[in-house]
Amino acid sequence: MPSESRLTIDNSPPVGFHYRLAVLTWGGKFIDGYTLGVLTIALAVLPSDFGMTSFYSGLVGAAALFGLFLGSLFIGPLADRIGRRRLYTADLALFLVASLAQLFVQDALQLFAVRLVLGVAIGIDYAVGPTYLSEMLPKKLRGPLLGGLSAVWRFGFLASIVVGYFMSGLGPDAWKWILVTSAIPTAVVMALRLGSPESPRWLVQQGRYGEADAIVKKYINPEAGVDDLVEAHEHGTARRSNWATMKALFSPRWRSRTFYAGFFWIAQATPQTAIFTFLPSLFVALGLAGGLTPTLIQNAFFAFGGIVGMFVVNRISRRGLLISTFWMMAVSVAALAILPQPGAVVVVTCLCVYAFIEAVAGNLQFVYPSELFPTSIRAAGVGMAAALSRIGAAVGTFLFPILLASFGVQALMAGTVCLLVLGAVISQKMAPETGGRSLEESAAEEDRSPRAAQPDPN
């Protein structure tokens, strides 16, 4: 049993380790965004003889999302069982191998298979990265630094568009070289993550109090300790098997949070992922002759919104931010659903405003699920939320080019508005408030009404 201490992980002053760990975790999200975004330009410059029909285009576009679903769903419970640290590095090794393999694909099915493996690696990072970082941060840093994961994801997406834009003229094999560039940031971040410590919260769950206390004192503050976590664990839940962890997520105590964490992510990610994957084609369908330049412009708004979201997330309640941004996103694309032939200015303005608001709201995708669950099922809960979100994103991305060809862009935009409105309505009824609380306090709030009095987010 460690000696009693006034300072804890939640209330300790920020130190360099917190920011270093945030940067390393951000690096994973940069790679996630880059890997998904780089396909946007690659698909646009594929040679005509590659055989990329609308069906295969949707299949390849959704491949990483299907893989992300699998990785998030199955690795989350594993991280709750074996710890965060090993998976925190191992997922990038898988990333690196699959990124390099893209150079050797010869047809659409091979490309689908490689992108599926890349998606599994992304899914592992979605489940483990935010969980690991949330368990190390004091509560006043949790909102902005976890929100930064989303902002950096968007910069990764933007960087891939910029790289692809300038590499698009390299000839018939340009698409291969564009895709394989994701190996470069992957190798760098993987090397830097080596030697990361285990999560003290997870160690306490295993009864390894001395190890947890030593890590907190070494990396966070010599005067800090884990006595608060030990006390909570002594009255808490014993270690679970993977199957028991999954059952716990859907038990009466946690199932509403599990479903809502997945739902709000589905409502945000389904239109965002489908639109951004096929953005050049969407701009052409909306009447803009050159799709790559407006694609670059919109992605700049996307990245800028992620930065703004980092500063907003602790100044507005989690619940209020979710509800208001769903309504604003719905309004921002409504003109594209109503006007049969919107002008270029309207098209670019609507989609840039949508991108900015979505990026602000999207910061909660890596903040909110981490705050909804206790340590014993946190990685599984975060992974389940990410997995559920990928169902909608994968289906939307697969169907997007098919529906665009069959029904036109106006019908697609009308469907987007309906989904966003549904997100606002369901959030109004179900979203709990977690801002300004320790992780233990947030997890203990499951029975409170979402309309309960909300604390100061700071």
Side-chain angles (χ1 to χ4, degrees):
M1 174 76 67
S3 59
E4 188 172 346
S5 172
R6 289 187 304 105
L7 290 178
T8 67
I9 296 175
D10 275 309
N11 66 22
S12 63
V15 294
F17 169 74
H18 292 134
Y19 297 105
R20 179 178 179 273
L21 192 66
V23 169
L24 294 181
T25 311
W26 288 356
K29 283 296 166 284
F30 180 92
I31 296 165
D32 296 348
Y34 191 102
T35 302
L36 292 174
V38 76
L39 186 66
T40 300
I41 303 298
L43 287 176
V45 299
L46 273 174
S48 58
D49 60 355
F50 190 76
M52 189 63 79
T53 63
S54 294
F55 173 80
Y56 280 121
S57 182
L59 191 65
V60 170
L65 301 173
F66 286 124
L68 199 160
F69 166 79
L70 296 173
S72 298
L73 182 64
F74 293 108
I75 301 304
L78 182 63
D80 285 326
R81 185 167 181 80
I82 70 170
R84 321 316 192 193
R85 180 179 61 85
R86 283 180 284 180
L87 292 168
Y88 187 63
T89 303
D91 69 319
L92 295 186
L94 183 60
F95 250 122
L96 184 61
V97 172
S99 293
L100 293 172
Q102 293 175 110
L103 191 61
F104 304 101
V105 300
Q106 300 296 321
D107 56 42
L109 284 178
Q110 291 180 12
L111 183 57
F112 167 79
V114 174
R115 298 291 298 181
L116 185 69
V117 174
L118 276 169
V120 171
I122 295 173
I124 297 172
D125 198 66
Y126 266 59
V128 177
T131 298
Y132 181 57
L133 183 58
S134 72
E135 293 178 352
M136 291 290 202
L137 294 176
K139 61 183 179 181
K140 68 180 179 180
L141 288 183
R142 204 164 59 233
L145 294 189
L146 281 172
L149 293 171
S150 182
V152 173
W153 187 97
R154 285 155 175 78
F155 270 96
F157 201 102
L158 174 62
S160 72
I161 299 298
V162 173
V163 170
Y165 184 84
F166 286 105
M167 293 180 66
S168 59
L170 294 181
D173 286 334
W175 63 276
K176 287 187 178 183
W177 294 108
I178 291 171
L179 291 175
V180 84
T181 57
S182 61
I184 298 172
T186 300
V188 172
V189 176
M190 182 176 68
L192 293 175
R193 281 190 180 183
L194 295 173
S196 298
E198 184 55 84
S199 163
R201 294 181 189 273
W202 182 82
L203 288 170
V204 167
Q205 285 290 316
Q206 314 313 308
R208 294 157 62 179
Y209 306 141
E211 293 175 61
D213 194 60
I215 288 173
V216 170
K217 285 178 165 52
K218 178 179 179 180
Y219 290 96
I220 295 177
N221 193 302
E223 303 300 321
V226 295
D227 46 285
D228 62 318
L229 303 180
V230 172
E231 182 179 357
H233 178 244
E234 288 173 346
H235 299 87
T237 305
R239 182 176 179 176
R240 296 181 173 95
S241 67
N242 287 15
W243 173 243
T245 298
M246 297 298 289
K247 286 178 64 177
L249 286 177
F250 292 97
S251 67
R253 186 179 185 187
W254 298 111
R255 62 191 175 200
S256 63
R257 287 197 172 196
T258 300
F259 284 122
Y260 182 73
F263 169 78
F264 96 84
W265 208 337
I266 287 173
Q268 285 185 353
T270 299
Q272 177 258 313
T273 307
I275 287 172
F276 276 82
T277 300
F278 298 102
L279 200 52
S281 301
L282 177 61
F283 275 121
V284 171
L286 285 165
L288 278 69
L292 294 184
T293 299
T295 295
L296 191 59
I297 294 171
Q298 194 200 21
N299 274 276
F301 276 83
F302 194 49
F304 180 60
I307 296 176
V308 173
M310 290 178 63
F311 295 97
V312 168
V313 69
N314 263 11
R315 298 181 182 276
I316 302 175
S317 70
R318 309 288 197 248
R319 173 180 160 80
L321 186 59
L322 277 169
I323 296 169
S324 61
T325 51
F326 270 126
W327 285 115
M328 287 189 285
M329 283 189 286
V331 171
S332 70
V333 296
L336 303 181
I338 297 170
L339 300 175
Q341 292 182 320
V345 173
V346 173
V347 170
V348 174
T349 300
C350 286
L351 288 179
C352 284
V353 171
Y354 164 78
F356 177 82
I357 298 170
E358 199 287 329
V360 172
N363 280 24
L364 287 176
Q365 293 171 8
F366 299 115
V367 178
Y368 200 42
S370 297
E371 296 177 337
L372 290 175
F373 303 99
T375 300
S376 60
I377 59 171
R378 182 168 294 117
V382 173
M384 178 61 70
L388 291 174
S389 77
R390 294 310 101 177
I391 295 174
V395 171
T397 302
F398 172 67
L399 293 177
F400 189 93
I402 299 172
L403 295 176
L404 181 62
S406 302
F407 299 102
V409 69
Q410 197 172 7
L412 282 178
M413 292 298 99
T416 298
V417 171
C418 291
L419 179 58
L420 294 170
V421 169
L422 182 63
V425 173
I426 298 298
S427 295
Q428 184 72 39
K429 293 182 178 295
M430 293 188 63
E433 181 56 51
T434 61
R437 301 184 174 109
S438 70
L439 289 181
E440 284 68 36
E441 289 170 337
S442 296
E445 297 286 329
E446 77 276 6
D447 293 325
R448 288 194 179 184
S449 166
R451 295 173 178 80
Q454 297 167 2
D456 179 355
N458 293 314

